Amino acid sequence: MRPLCAEIRLDRLRENYQTLKQIHGGKMLAVLKADAYGHGALRCAHALADIADGFAVAFLEEAAELRRGGIANPIVLLEGVFEAAEYAEVERLNLWPVVGNQWQLESLLAHEWQKPVQVWLKMDSGMHRTGFFPHEYAPAYTALAQSGKVAAIVKTSHYACADEEERGMTEMQTEAFDLACAHLAGEESLANSAAALAYPQARRDWGRAGLALYGIDPFLGHDPRFKPVMRLVTEIFGEKVLQPHEPIGYGASFYTKRSTRVGLAAGGYADGYPRRAATGTPVAVAGRRSRILGRVSMDMLTLELADHEGIGSEVELWGDTVDINEVAAAAGTIAYELLCNVKRAKFVYIQ
Ligand SMILES: *Cc1c(COP(=O)(O)O)cnc(C)c1O
């Protein structure tokens, strides 16, 4: 069998959750959208079910998968519904929808609820994606509160720049949120992973942690408080020694300078390993850091071997020895995208 394997360490997922909840205080949603950032949503949900205050997914179908799989924790729909008819399923599955625009609000109020629904009312505090503008927020809140259809309203907003060095934008968004919420009762939720770590004033009743839950430092460094959950590993299945001045791979983009042992590893861009990670991108061969040589192919990639390494040697593409943030930087992208793209690998869950 092809050796490409995504090891998912569920014990680490639990530790990361506890760490984040402790740092943030209050309650913490484990964000499981996009198949838990590529880790497998249902498996992650079961691993967290006894400790998680709730889960968050992007849309109804993602939540339905968790409910079908036996998950009973609260589930927030971060994008809310896409059609009015979905509110019937929201009710049947006991989900907490975000309401982020006028038609979501009006169709929620038009639905015949058997029992009042818990709503997360979203403010656009400056990111300008979804949510009600601050000046529209109190009217939206009041319409929900007075409808008799809503059990509770959690006031929420999302930051555009919480993982960046420049702090002004996040502070401005927090002020805009607080000003517009000044006289509105209820719980609040502001912080994603980065904000939970870097902005004490963003820690409210509910945090919403994604990236750091999976053990990745949102500030692109390496935060020892969080342990990478995924380890993407494969094996060397071919080796050869090339003379100096020989090309490797598509486009002959790399030439050896000296006699070089080259290993061929199972894993390529069809598996989600980024094609833009070319010569020099770190990999680890049996725990020793090495580097990719030449271009990444669809199903395989080539890397530099030491003398004692060869066929059968383990290759870590990212995980413990190679931080996924390093691979993302080499490929001009972010860890989120790499995690979500993993496919064709065998997923092995470790308790
Ligand atoms: C994805 C998402 C999160 C989680 O963000 P991380 O940066 O992964 O912690 C939180 N809130 C909302 C609204 C999201 O869409």
Side-chain angles (χ1 to χ4, degrees), residues 31 33 37 78 122 129 158 191-194 208-212 336:
V31 179
K33 65 189 176 194
Y37 294 38
L78 292 170
K122 183 142 181 188
R129 220 171 41 168
H158 193 54
N192 67 346
S193 300
R208 309 184 303 267
L211 195 65
Y336 298 82

Side-chain angles (χ1 to χ4, degrees), residues 134-152:
H135 69 271
E136 303 168 330
Y137 196 75
Y141 181 101
T142 305
L144 288 170
Q146 293 181 347
S147 68
K149 302 190 172 197
V150 171

Side-chain angles (χ1 to χ4, degrees), residues 14-30:
R14 288 172 64 88
E15 284 171 37
N16 294 336
Y17 178 84
Q18 307 272 33
T19 303
L20 279 157
K21 183 172 154 99
Q22 197 200 347
I23 291 168
H24 180 275
K27 291 176 279 189
M28 179 60 73
L29 293 179

Side-chain angles (χ1 to χ4, degrees), residues 125-128 159 167-178 201:
S125 57
M127 189 171 184
H128 299 340
Y159 292 117
R167 297 178 69 85
M169 177 77 178
T170 304
E171 284 160 7
M172 190 205 74
Q173 285 192 256
T174 309
E175 281 169 31
F177 179 83
D178 284 339
Q201 69 271 37

Side-chain angles (χ1 to χ4, degrees), residues 178-244:
D178 284 339
L179 196 63
C181 285
H183 304 291
L184 306 176
E187 292 184 326
E188 299 178 349
S189 174
L190 289 178
N192 67 346
S193 300
L197 299 176
Y199 293 88
Q201 69 271 37
R203 298 171 188 152
R204 303 293 168 97
D205 302 280
W206 290 89
R208 309 184 303 267
L211 195 65
L213 179 67
Y214 304 103
I216 314 302
D217 179 3
F219 306 102
L220 306 182
H222 184 81
D223 186 332
R225 291 175 295 180
F226 301 104
K227 310 280 187 319
V229 174
M230 183 190 291
R231 195 165 164 268
L232 189 63
V233 291
T234 184
E235 277 178 21
I236 300 291
F237 73 104
E239 59 182 45
K240 53 185 57 174
V241 178
L242 295 182
Q243 297 306 305

Side-chain angles (χ1 to χ4, degrees), residues 7-338:
E7 295 174 8
I8 308 294
R9 284 85 56 96
L10 297 170
D11 51 337
R12 292 177 167 213
L13 186 72
R14 288 172 64 88
E15 284 171 37
N16 294 336
Y17 178 84
Q18 307 272 33
T19 303
L20 279 157
K21 183 172 154 99
Q22 197 200 347
I23 291 168
H24 180 275
K27 291 176 279 189
M28 179 60 73
L29 293 179
V31 179
L32 301 183
K33 65 189 176 194
D35 203 22
Y37 294 38
H39 292 67
L42 190 54
R43 295 299 295 259
C44 290
H46 278 296
L48 292 169
D50 64 323
I51 53 174
D53 301 309
F55 297 123
V57 296
F59 52 90
L60 177 66
E61 287 79 1
E62 290 186 328
E65 184 204 338
L66 298 183
R67 287 284 185 257
R68 268 198 309 276
I71 297 299
N73 308 55
I75 302 178
V76 175
L77 299 184
L78 292 170
E79 292 183 15
V81 300
F82 287 85
E83 316 174 41
E86 293 177 19
Y87 281 122
E89 279 294 283
V90 165
E91 176 158 37
R92 194 178 67 80
L93 298 173
N94 192 20
L95 308 175
W96 296 353
V98 165
V99 170
N101 59 45
Q102 195 61 30
W103 81 258
Q104 285 180 332
L105 180 117
E106 284 169 13
S107 48
L108 183 143
L109 294 179
H111 181 71
E112 297 291 341
W113 297 90
Q114 304 301 310
K115 74 174 184 20
V117 58
Q118 167 131 344
V119 173
W120 285 47
L121 183 61
K122 183 142 181 188
M123 188 189 302
D124 175 2
S125 57
M127 189 171 184
H128 299 340
R129 220 171 41 168
T130 70
F132 292 86
F133 286 127
H135 69 271
E136 303 168 330
Y137 196 75
Y141 181 101
T142 305
L144 288 170
Q146 293 181 347
S147 68
K149 302 190 172 197
V150 171
I153 302 172
V154 177
K155 297 164 283 171
T156 187
S157 191
H158 193 54
Y159 292 117
C161 303
D163 54 359
E164 287 177 18
E165 217 159 291
E166 160 55 37
R167 297 178 69 85
M169 177 77 178
T170 304
E171 284 160 7
M172 190 205 74
Q173 285 192 256
T174 309
E175 281 169 31
F177 179 83
D178 284 339
L179 196 63
C181 285
H183 304 291
L184 306 176
E187 292 184 326
E188 299 178 349
S189 174
L190 289 178
N192 67 346
S193 300
L197 299 176
Y199 293 88
Q201 69 271 37
R203 298 171 188 152
R204 303 293 168 97
D205 302 280
W206 290 89
R208 309 184 303 267
L211 195 65
L213 179 67
Y214 304 103
I216 314 302
D217 179 3
F219 306 102
L220 306 182
H222 184 81
D223 186 332
R225 291 175 295 180
F226 301 104
K227 310 280 187 319
V229 174
M230 183 190 291
R231 195 165 164 268
L232 189 63
V233 291
T234 184
E235 277 178 21
I236 300 291
F237 73 104
E239 59 182 45
K240 53 185 57 174
V241 178
L242 295 182
Q243 297 306 305
H245 316 299
E246 293 291 338
I248 301 177
Y250 283 116
S253 70
F254 175 83
Y255 275 77
T256 56
K257 293 191 181 55
R258 61 191 87 82
S259 172
T260 304
R261 277 177 64 74
V262 178
L264 187 61
Y269 62 79
D271 305 296
Y273 191 87
R275 182 176 172 280
R276 287 190 54 196
T279 300
T281 303
V283 293
V285 183
R288 180 192 71 90
R289 285 171 65 94
S290 179
R291 60 180 185 137
I292 287 182
L293 299 178
R295 285 193 191 149
V296 172
S297 302
M298 185 183 286
D299 311 303
M300 41 193 159
L301 51 83
T302 39
L303 50 90
E304 192 165 43
L305 293 178
D307 283 341
H308 60 285
E309 296 159 355
I311 289 175
S313 294
E314 185 204 75
V315 178
E316 180 187 287
L317 299 177
W318 62 65
D320 297 342
T321 310
V322 175
D323 194 301
I324 192 171
N325 280 326
E326 295 180 87
V327 181
T333 184
I334 54 177
Y336 298 82
E337 189 183 28
L338 297 185

